[in-house]
C-alpha cells in the first residue's frame, strides 16, 4: 500500500493552483441525471471520488467520458436504465446517495444502499428521507437498501405517464448539506413549489443551484437558509464550470502558515473561506485576499496566539478544516480549544499527532491543545481524507522524516497533492 514519505522543515514558497471543488463536482455529476441531453462539466478534479461517481453513473447506464488532462467531463444520461445505487459504491463513497434525488425525480423510483457508518461518525440519512417523504415519496427499508417510490401516478408535469413528486414546504431539523442537495434536485421536476427551510448555505449549494438553473430549473434563495424551487417539466443539457475547492485552498493556506515564506494560493476565494481566514489572522498569520481570486500567506516573525475554534455549518468554521488547523494550533504557544459540533468522531488524527510530539487531549467533542515547540517526524496513519491531509502538513513542519500510510484516503479528495507540495519546495515522495 502506498505511503507518503516527508522530510520536514523545508521552506515553502511560490504559487499553487487549487483544483475544482470535490464537494461540488460530485453533486453536479449526480444532478446531470436530471437532464434530457448531454451535460459538459469543466474543471473537474482528477480525484478518486470523481472516479467512483463516474462508476455510479455508468452503473446506472449513463454514457460518461472524462478528459483528465483538460478536466472536462461529458455525461449523457439518456441511456439510464437502472435505478439502483449499489452497496459496493455507496460504501466506497457516501456521496453516491446523492443520485437518489435525481433518480426519484426523473423516474419515480430508486433503490439506494444505506451508507452506514464511516470514520468520522454515524452519518444518518433521516433528514434526506423525511424530505423525500414530504415530497410524496413512499419509503421501504429492507435488506440494507432504501426503496423510494413517488406516490403520485398519472400524467407527470412533463405530460408523460409516470410517477412524480409533489412540491411542499420542508423544515429541516439541521441544515444538512447532503439533504439540501438531494431535496433541491428532487424538487426541480416536482409538481408545483417546494420550499426548504433551514437549508444548508455552503457555496457548493449555490454552485449546484446555478448548475440546475443553467439546465432550466427555477430555483431562488440558493446560499440562504430558505430555498424555493418551482418544478419544471424537464431539464436540458448544459455546459458548466465547477467552482474552486475551498477545503483544498484552506489546506494549502495552512501548509503555507506552517512553513511558508511567501505562498500565493490561486483560485482561492476569500469570501467562501472568510471565517477560516479571519481565524488565521487572529492567530497572527499574515494572510491577504487578492480580489477574491487568490490568497497570499507570508512568513511572520511575531509569536502566534492560541485561540478557540468551534465548527459549525457554513458560514461557521468548516469541520473539514478542523483536523488541518489543529496541526497549526499544536505548535502555537499556549492553550487552544477546538470544539467539533458537526461530526461526533472527528478527532482520529489527534492520537497520531500526539505520536509526533503534540500535546492534545480529547474530552468529548473538545480537543484541548497545549502548544509544543516542535513536532517530530514519525510513522503515522491516515484515518480519513482530511485527517490524512492534516498529517501530511504535520510532516512538512516536523523535524525529521514522517511516513503517512493509507494515503488512499487522501487520493479521494486531493488532486496531485504531492506534486503541488513539491512545486512549493516540500520534500515529499510516494513509496
Ligand atoms: C458534506 C461534505 C463533507 C462535510 C460535511 C459538513 C460532501 C460530499 N461532503 O457531507 O465533506 O464535512 O458536508 O460540512 O459534500 N445528518 C443527520 N441526518 C441526515 C444528514 C446528516 O443526522 O439525514 C448529520 C450527519 O450525521 C452529520 C451532520 O448532520 O453529523 C452533517 O451532515 P451533512 O451536512 O449532511 O454532511 P454531508 O452532506 O454528508
Amino acid at each position: 500500500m502506498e505511503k507518503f514519505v516527508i522530510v520536514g522543515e523545508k521552506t515553502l514558497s511560490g504559487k499553487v493552483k487549487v483544483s475544482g471543488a470535490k464537494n461540488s463536482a460530485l453533486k453536479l455529476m449526480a444532478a446531470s441525471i436530471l437532464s434530457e441531453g448531454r451535460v459538459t462539466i469543466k474543471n473537474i478534479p482528477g480525484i478518486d471520488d470523481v472516479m467512483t461517481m463516474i462508476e455510479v453513473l455508468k452503473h446506472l447506464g449513463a454514457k460518461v467520458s472524462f478528459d483528465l488532462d483538460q478536466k472536462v467531463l461529458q455525461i449523457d444520461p439518456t441511456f439510464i436504465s437502472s435505478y439502483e445505487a449499489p452497496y459496493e459504491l455507496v460504501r466506497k463513497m457516501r456521496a453516491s446517495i446523492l443520485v437518489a434525488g435525481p433518480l426519484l425525480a426523473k423516474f419515480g423510483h430508486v433503490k439506494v444502499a444505506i451508507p452506514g457508518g464511516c470514520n468520522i461518525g454515524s452519518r444518518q440519512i433521516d433528514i434526506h428521507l423525511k424530505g423525500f417523504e414530504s415530497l410524496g415519496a413512499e419509503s421501504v427499508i429492507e435488506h440494507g437498501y432504501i426503496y423510494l417510490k413517488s406516490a403520485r401516478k398519472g400524467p407527470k408535469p412533463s405530460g408523460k405517464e409516470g410517477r412524480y413528486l409533489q412540491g411542499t414546504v420542508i423544515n429541516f431539523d439541521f441544515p444538512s448539506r447532503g439533504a439540501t442537495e438531494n431535496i433541491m434536485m428532487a424538487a426541480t421536476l416536482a409538481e408545483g413549489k417546494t420550499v426548504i427551510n433551514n437549508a444548508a448555505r455552503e457555496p457548493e449549494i449555490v454552485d449546484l443551484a446555478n448548475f440546475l438553473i443553467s439546465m432550466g430549473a427555477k430555483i431562488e434563495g440558493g446560499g440562504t437558509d430558505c430555498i424555493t424551487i418551482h418544478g419544471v417539466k424537464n431539464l436540458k443539457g448544459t455546459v458548466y464550470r465547477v467552482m474552486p475547492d475551498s477545503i483544498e485552498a484552506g489546506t494549502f493556506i495552512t501548509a503555507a502558515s506552517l512553513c511558508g515564506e511567501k505562498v500565493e494560493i490561486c483560485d482561492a476565494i476569500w469570501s467562501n473561506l472568510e471565517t477560516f481566514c479571519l481565524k488565521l489572522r487572529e492567530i497572527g498569520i499574515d494572510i491577504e485576499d487578492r480580489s477574491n481570486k487568490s490568497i497570499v500567506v507570508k512568513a511572520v516573525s511575531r509569536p502566534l496566539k492560541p485561540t478557540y475554534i468551534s465548527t459549525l455549518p457554513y458560514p461557521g468554521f468548516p469541520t473539514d478544516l478542523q483536523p488541518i488547523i489543529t496541526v497549526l494550533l499544536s505548535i502555537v504557544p499556549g492553550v487552544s480549544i477546538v470544539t467539533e459540533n458537526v461530526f461526533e468522531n472527528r478527532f482520529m488524527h489527534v492520537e497520531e499527532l500526539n505520536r509526533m510530539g503534540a500535546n492534545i487531549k480529547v474530552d468529548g467533542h473538545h480537543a484541548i491543545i497545549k502548544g509544543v515547540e516542535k513536532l517530530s517526524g514519525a510513522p503515522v496513519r491516515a484515518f480519513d481524507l482530511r485527517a490524512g491531509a492534516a498529517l501530511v502538513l504535520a510532516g512538512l513542519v516536523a523535524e525529521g522524516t514522517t511516513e503517512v500510510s493509507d494515503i488512499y484516503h487522501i487520493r479521494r479528495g486531493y488532486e496531485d497533492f504531492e506534486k503541488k507540495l513539491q512545486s512549493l519546495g516540500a520534500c515529499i515522495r510516494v513509496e
Side-chain angles (χ1 to χ4, degrees), residues 23 27 94 123-127 176-178 320 342-343:
N23 288 350
K27 322 306 167 65
R94 184 187 149 87
R123 301 183 82 172
Q124 305 293 315
I125 52 164
D126 55 317
I127 305 171
S176 154
R177 275 165 90 160
D320 285 347
V342 181
F343 291 107

Side-chain angles (χ1 to χ4, degrees), residues 234-257:
N234 46 45
L235 296 176
K236 57 182 187 341
T238 186
V239 178
Y240 194 86
R241 187 178 171 82
V242 184
M243 63 179 280
D245 196 310
S246 299
I247 305 302
E248 188 195 355
T251 306
F252 284 111
I253 289 169
T254 310
S257 306

Side-chain angles (χ1 to χ4, degrees), residues 135-190:
L135 287 171
E138 292 163 352
S139 70
V140 177
I141 299 184
E142 240 173 32
H143 308 301
Y145 277 84
I146 301 158
Y147 296 78
L148 291 162
K149 193 164 74 178
S150 309
R152 288 194 165 228
K153 220 173 155 186
K156 297 203 280 187
S158 63
K160 292 182 202 157
E161 269 307 302
R163 294 184 174 274
Y164 60 94
L165 296 167
Q166 176 67 52
T168 188
V169 177
I170 301 171
N171 298 310
F172 281 165
D173 294 330
F174 176 86
S176 154
R177 275 165 90 160
T180 303
E181 291 154 348
N182 237 339
I183 301 305
M184 183 164 75
M185 291 188 280
T188 55
L189 296 180

Side-chain angles (χ1 to χ4, degrees), residues 173-316:
D173 294 330
F174 176 86
S176 154
R177 275 165 90 160
T180 303
E181 291 154 348
N182 237 339
I183 301 305
M184 183 164 75
M185 291 188 280
T188 55
L189 296 180
E191 188 180 66
K193 181 169 101 171
T194 300
V195 178
I196 308 174
N197 287 316
N198 199 21
R201 289 181 281 168
E202 274 77 6
E204 289 82 359
I205 306 274
V206 180
D207 214 30
L208 176 60
N210 287 339
F211 176 74
L212 291 165
I213 291 167
S214 77
M215 289 164 74
K218 289 198 177 139
I219 301 174
E220 294 146 21
T224 74
D225 61 0
C226 177
I227 302 177
T228 304
I229 305 114
H230 300 271
V232 295
K233 288 183 179 165
N234 46 45
L235 296 176
K236 57 182 187 341
T238 186
V239 178
Y240 194 86
R241 187 178 171 82
V242 184
M243 63 179 280
D245 196 310
S246 299
I247 305 302
E248 188 195 355
T251 306
F252 284 111
I253 289 169
T254 310
S257 306
L258 284 164
C259 34
E261 199 173 63
K262 183 179 175 197
V263 178
E264 181 168 6
I265 297 99
C266 304
D267 253 8
I269 302 175
W270 180 280
S271 57
N272 291 346
L273 266 172
E274 190 151 43
T275 311
F276 171 75
C277 293
L278 292 179
K279 195 43 100 172
L280 288 182
R281 250 191 206 157
E282 186 191 310
I283 296 169
I285 302 295
D286 186 344
I287 177 167
E288 185 190 309
D289 168 31
R290 295 261 169 99
S291 317
N292 232 10
K293 289 198 174 81
S294 76
I295 291 175
V296 176
V297 180
K298 291 186 199 145
V300 279
S301 48
R302 62 183 178 274
L304 299 176
K305 287 181 289 186
T307 191
Y308 295 100
I309 288 173
S310 195
T311 67
L312 281 173
Y314 189 87

Side-chain angles (χ1 to χ4, degrees), residues 22-24 26-27 49 93-98 120-130 174-181 200 202 204 247 312-314 318-321 340-344 346 385-386 412:
K22 167 178 101 68
N23 288 350
S24 179
L26 298 174
K27 322 306 167 65
D49 273 8
M93 185 187 69
R94 184 187 149 87
S96 312
I97 61 163
L98 267 304
I120 57 175
S122 72
R123 301 183 82 172
Q124 305 293 315
I125 52 164
D126 55 317
I127 305 171
H128 299 240
L129 293 185
K130 264 168 85 176
F174 176 86
S176 154
R177 275 165 90 160
T180 303
E181 291 154 348
E202 274 77 6
E204 289 82 359
I247 305 302
L312 281 173
Y314 189 87
T319 172
D320 285 347
L321 288 173
E340 174 58 55
N341 294 307
V342 181
F343 291 107
E344 77 245 31
R346 209 167 192 175
L385 167 59
R386 306 303 170 186
R412 286 188 45 208

